[in-house]
């Protein structure tokens, strides 16, 4: 987590400096607002990653001399076959098309997306080691 936290911290600092310079040199509020939102979003991700690093400590991925066998088994489980990614992708595509074509298609997209997201969240409840 430490490497990812440093990466997003550097990204947030970059967007912060770029926002300040852009707002000072240009008179365009849209670009300044977009850069400011990018700064806030990368700062939130960096704060979350630093918090997780402090909570969980160092992972094997954070050390250069770590062995593959040191990995935590819970993080390595992936379901063999799942249709929930297809549902989530189809629902997202229908929502995107619904924004352009009409509200009815957007509502259908939300109806398709909801089972996909819920399936992602609850597909491993029968495995006690993945909770």
């Amino acid at each position: 987590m430490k490497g990812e936290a440093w990466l997003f911290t550097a990204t947030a600092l970059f967007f912060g400096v770029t926002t300040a310079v852009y707002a000072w040199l240009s008179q365009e509020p849209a670009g300044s607002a977009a850069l400011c939102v990018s700064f806030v979003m990368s700062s939130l991700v960096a704060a979350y990653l630093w918090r997780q690093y402090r909570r969980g400590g160092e992972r094997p991925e954070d050390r250069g001399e770590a062995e593959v066998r040191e990995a935590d088994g819970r993080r390595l489980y992936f379901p063999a076959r799942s249709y929930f990614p297809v549902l989530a992708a189809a629902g997202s595509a229908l929502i995107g098309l619904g924004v352009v074509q009409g509200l009815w298609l957007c509502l259908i997209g939300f109806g398709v997306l909801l089972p996909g997201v819920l399936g992602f969240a609850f597909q491993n409840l029968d495995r006690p080691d993945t909770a």
Side-chain angles (χ1 to χ4, degrees):
M1 255 338 138
K2 193 172 185 180
E4 295 95 338
W6 277 116
L7 177 72
F8 277 97
T9 301
T11 304
L13 289 174
F14 169 77
F15 279 126
V17 170
T18 305
T19 301
V21 170
Y22 187 84
W24 183 56
L25 293 177
S26 76
Q27 301 301 320
E28 182 192 18
S32 300
L35 285 170
C36 187
V37 167
S38 299
F39 166 71
V40 170
M41 290 171 58
S42 57
S43 297
L44 287 173
V45 173
Y48 171 77
L49 290 172
W50 280 113
R51 181 175 164 252
Q52 288 300 103
Y53 175 70
R54 281 195 303 268
R55 272 176 132 191
E58 193 174 60
R59 298 179 306 169
E61 293 91 352
D62 294 330
R63 296 191 328 262
E65 69 277 352
E67 297 287 329
V68 174
R69 60 183 164 80
E70 294 179 43
D72 187 7
R74 282 190 312 176
R75 295 185 192 138
L76 299 178
Y77 171 73
F78 299 102
R81 180 177 295 165
S82 177
Y83 295 107
F84 299 120
V86 176
L87 278 176
S92 299
L94 286 174
I95 290 171
L97 285 173
V99 169
V100 175
Q101 298 296 328
L103 180 63
W104 62 273
L105 191 57
C106 196
L107 293 174
I108 293 172
F110 278 116
V112 173
L113 179 66
L114 184 66
V117 170
L118 291 176
F120 267 133
F122 299 117
Q123 71 181 342
N124 295 325
L125 286 182
D126 56 341
R127 287 183 54 105
D129 59 334
T130 60

